[in-house]
């Protein structure tokens, strides 16, 4: 049986752990609010961008010479999986659920005889996928100091992906990130990046005009599309990073909340054992004294 | 005077939204002023200044760098890649941008990229000129 001192030590250690998890929870809550705001204020841009692109693409349907970023290379042999995770752990299943989704996807593609390449953003995803897919990982970027994530960082990633695409290294790109639904629900999501997946427009433009209304383009439609598509890539990545940041904090908050609660329960249990042991010892000593006195 | 809805959206947040009388936009093919009832146009932007007229005599000026404008029958949306209120931008800031672009141009071997950066430098010079005139 553990001595009283052991029990006391254990209680203090659990208490200090609880203090840490509590602090982490509160920090995550504050960061979550900021990340959520950023994700929400970034949404109009991404929405308007894909709506406009949807229009353009709808006008161009069947048009010859659609950019490859939109129509694809006409092949789907080589897939690039862009896996966005966080740099830090201790946030529940956040990192592992994204990594698991990506790994499942990669195995499925491999079993179909396709070549898989993996591009990881964030240290945790790299660490997890490295074990299984060492040969497939082509590049890894850490998020490091770029916090909160900014547009420049997203465009840096997009440039790297585009450079690989232009070099013909892959045919299809899929982005993996965690969509932020609410504090308790984050959904790991796979999104096609290349060829671009655009919302189907029901003949409406962003500004409410019907798509058949003669729209003028300056410069030409093709020129706009070629400048817009790479930008769209950046915007989609930026959106994913923002969603990820919010999801990470939300996930960490609920993980740390349950950790704090578990620590509280453990403290309660240990304190009970401690008190009981202490009482037992006192009783034992009393019995010894009394029976000693009776023996005289 | 009639008004229309104008949205100015940056990647990080919406920078301006409201009813306006006129907007002057630096399109890649040339400056244009949009009044209510403008024909639908989609244009890319160069580096320059957007002038928003809320009503005669009062308005706002915003510095933009790249992006595009979607002009519809009763609303205009500008998606800017980078933007700042005109007060925060001066010739010094643009000089720095020009210098950075020049360094990038001299560092790259890719002809296409050089061409692109050259265009950017020309646009920046123009923007500096516009700013200097005010």
């Amino acid at each position: 049986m553990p001595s009283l001192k052991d029990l006391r030590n254990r209680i203090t250690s659990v208490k200090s752990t609880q203090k840490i998890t509590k602090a982490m929870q509160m920090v995550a809550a504050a960061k979550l609010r900021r990340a959520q705001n950023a994700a929400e204020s970034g949404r109009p841009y991404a929405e308007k961008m894909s709506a406009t692109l949807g229009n353009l693409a709808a006008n161009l349907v069947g048009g010859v010479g659609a950019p490859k970023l939109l129509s694809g290379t006409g092949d789907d042999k080589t897939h690039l999986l862009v896996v966005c995770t966080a740099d830090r752990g201790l946030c529940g299943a956040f990192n592992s659920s994204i990594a698991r989704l990506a790994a499942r996807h990669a195995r499925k593609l491999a079993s179909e005889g396709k070549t898989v390449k993996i591009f990881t953003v964030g240290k945790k995803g790299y660490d997890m996928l490295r074990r299984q897919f060492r040969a497939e990982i082509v590049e890894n970027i850490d998020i490091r100091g770029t916090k909160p994530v900014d547009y420049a960082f997203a465009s840096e990633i997009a440039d790297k992906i585009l450079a690989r695409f232009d070099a013909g290294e892959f045919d299809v790109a899929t982005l993996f990130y965690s969509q932020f639904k609410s504090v308790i629900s984050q959904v790991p999501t796979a999104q096609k990046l290349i060829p671009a997946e655009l919302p189907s427009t029901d003949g409406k433009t962003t500004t409410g005009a019907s798509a058949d209304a003669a729209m003028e383009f300056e410069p030409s439609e093709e020129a706009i599309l070629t400048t817009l598509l790479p930008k769209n890539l950046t915007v989609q990545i930026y959106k994913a990073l923002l969603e990820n940041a919010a999801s990470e904090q939300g996930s960490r908050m609920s993980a740390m909340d349950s950790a704090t609660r578990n620590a509280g329960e453990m403290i309660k249990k240990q304190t009970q054992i401690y008190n009981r042991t202490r009482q037992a010892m006192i009783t034992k000593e009393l019995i010894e004294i009394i029976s000693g006195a009776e023996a005289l | 005077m009639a008004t229309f809805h104008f949205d100015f959206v940056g990647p990080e947040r919406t920078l301006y939204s409201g009813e306006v009388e006129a907007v002057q936009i630096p399109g890649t093919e040339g400056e244009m002023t949009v009044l209510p009832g403008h024909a639908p146009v989609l244009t890319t932007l160069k580096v320059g200044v957007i002038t928003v007229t809320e009503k005669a005599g009062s308005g706002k000026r915003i510095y933009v760098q790249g992006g595009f404008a979607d002009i519809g029958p009763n609303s205009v949306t500008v998606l800017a890649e980078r933007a700042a209120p005109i007060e925060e931008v001066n010739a010094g800031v643009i000089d720095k941008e020009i210098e950075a672009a020049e360094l990038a141009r001299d560092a790259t071997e890719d002809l296409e990229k050089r061409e692109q950066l050259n265009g950017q430098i020309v646009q920046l010079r123009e923007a500096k000129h516009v700013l200097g005139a005010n």
Side-chain angles (χ1 to χ4, degrees):
Chain A
M1 199 171 99
S3 74
L4 277 183
K5 188 159 189 291
D6 288 340
L7 281 170
R8 246 194 328 260
N9 281 344
R10 201 174 301 161
I11 292 170
T12 355
S13 104
V14 177
K15 265 188 187 155
S16 51
T17 307
Q18 190 191 28
K19 261 181 210 150
I20 293 169
T21 56
K22 186 106 197 239
M24 280 181 80
Q25 186 208 335
M26 284 191 294
V27 171
K31 280 191 180 161
L32 170 70
R33 203 162 315 131
R34 216 175 313 143
Q36 224 175 327
N37 279 340
E40 264 155 32
S41 48
R43 243 170 235 163
Y45 192 81
E47 273 164 18
K48 292 242 161 80
M49 175 69 98
S50 47
T52 310
L53 265 178
N55 280 330
L56 271 172
N59 286 352
L60 209 74
V61 159
V64 202
K68 277 185 178 171
L69 280 174
L70 185 65
S71 58
T73 51
D75 221 340
D76 72 334
K77 275 207 190 73
T78 315
H79 285 246
L80 182 76
L81 310 185
V82 184
V83 185
C84 298
T85 53
D87 261 2
R88 296 212 239 152
L90 283 180
C91 45
F94 170 76
N95 288 315
S96 56
S97 62
I98 299 174
R100 208 172 323 124
L101 181 72
R104 206 184 311 139
H105 204 86
R107 270 193 294 272
K108 194 175 142 250
L109 287 172
S111 71
E112 285 166 8
K114 283 162 186 156
T115 319
V116 177
K117 287 179 179 172
I118 298 177
F119 185 114
T120 54
V121 180
K123 201 162 134 253
K124 283 285 156 185
Y126 176 67
D127 287 345
M128 274 174 214
L129 292 172
R130 189 175 49 179
R131 265 172 263 150
Q132 297 174 47
F133 303 98
R134 166 151 287 187
E136 282 89 346
I137 294 181
V138 289
E139 197 163 345
N140 167 55
I141 304 182
D142 282 357
I143 298 171
R144 284 167 320 211
T146 44
K147 267 197 175 174
V149 280
D150 57 1
Y151 191 72
F153 183 61
S155 94
E156 189 187 316
I157 298 171
D159 284 347
K160 286 195 172 152
I161 294 173
L162 279 175
R164 287 181 185 277
F165 185 70
D166 289 339
E169 284 187 34
F170 63 90
D171 304 308
V172 180
T174 317
L175 180 68
F176 290 87
Y177 66 100
S178 181
Q179 208 177 0
F180 183 80
K181 291 260 185 221
S182 73
V183 179
I184 43 165
S185 149
Q186 298 91 26
V187 190
T189 314
Q191 188 195 352
K192 271 251 169 70
L193 275 183
I194 302 171
E197 217 167 48
L198 297 169
S200 56
T201 45
D202 44 358
K204 292 269 181 190
T205 64
T206 42
T207 43
S210 81
D212 343 307
M215 187 109 183
E216 283 175 44
F217 297 97
E218 272 184 34
S220 67
E221 202 166 341
E222 286 79 21
I224 291 185
L225 209 50
T226 33
T227 52
L228 234 50
L229 282 166
K231 260 177 213 163
N232 182 52
L233 193 68
T234 311
V235 169
Q236 296 306 328
I237 291 170
Y238 182 59
K239 196 187 84 183
L241 289 175
L242 286 178
E243 293 269 345
N244 244 4
S247 297
E248 182 198 346
Q249 299 306 340
S251 192
R252 174 166 299 132
M253 199 176 107
S254 46
M256 286 303 122
D257 181 48
S258 55
T260 310
R261 220 165 324 125
N262 284 345
E265 254 163 53
M266 198 181 261
I267 291 170
K268 219 162 109 191
K269 231 182 270 166
Q270 295 285 347
T271 316
Q272 209 167 37
I273 297 175
Y274 172 78
N275 285 341
R276 234 175 248 158
T277 320
R278 194 176 61 99
Q279 198 66 50
M281 274 173 83
I282 294 168
T283 318
K284 203 176 92 196
E285 270 172 33
L286 274 178
I287 291 173
E288 274 165 12
I289 293 167
I290 293 167
S291 41
E294 265 175 10
L296 281 176
Chain B
M1 202 178 142
T3 59
F4 59 96
H5 194 76
F6 176 62
D7 279 314
F8 187 83
V9 192
E12 271 110 19
R13 59 183 196 274
T14 304
L15 293 156
Y16 184 93
S17 180
E19 295 293 318
V20 299
E21 279 186 354
V23 181
Q24 197 184 342
I25 295 169
T28 26
E29 307 276 276
E31 299 266 337
M32 58 164 132
T33 302
V34 182
L35 294 168
H38 198 283
V41 176
L42 191 68
T43 179
T44 46
L45 303 180
K46 61 176 184 181
V47 185
V49 177
I50 289 187
T51 311
V52 185
T53 314
E54 282 154 349
K55 51 180 175 297
S58 94
K60 245 191 179 157
R61 287 156 64 81
I62 312 166
Y63 171 78
V64 285
Q65 207 176 324
F68 66 95
D70 186 356
I71 301 164
N74 33 36
S75 72
V76 172
T77 309
V78 171
L79 295 194
E81 204 143 305
R82 288 185 51 199
I86 197 98
E87 297 80 36
E88 289 173 23
V89 187
N90 52 37
V93 175
I94 296 181
D95 271 336
K96 256 186 218 145
E97 300 248 359
I98 292 176
E99 211 180 287
E102 274 171 347
L103 280 176
R105 177 193 60 187
D106 295 341
T108 179
E109 302 277 308
D110 189 353
L111 274 176
E112 223 170 280
K113 195 140 194 203
R114 285 188 93 130
E115 202 53 47
Q116 197 189 337
L117 283 163
N118 266 332
Q120 209 179 340
I121 291 165
V122 171
Q123 287 187 3
L124 281 165
R125 290 228 170 92
E126 267 175 40
K128 191 182 155 195
H129 186 73
V130 171
L131 282 171
N134 291 284

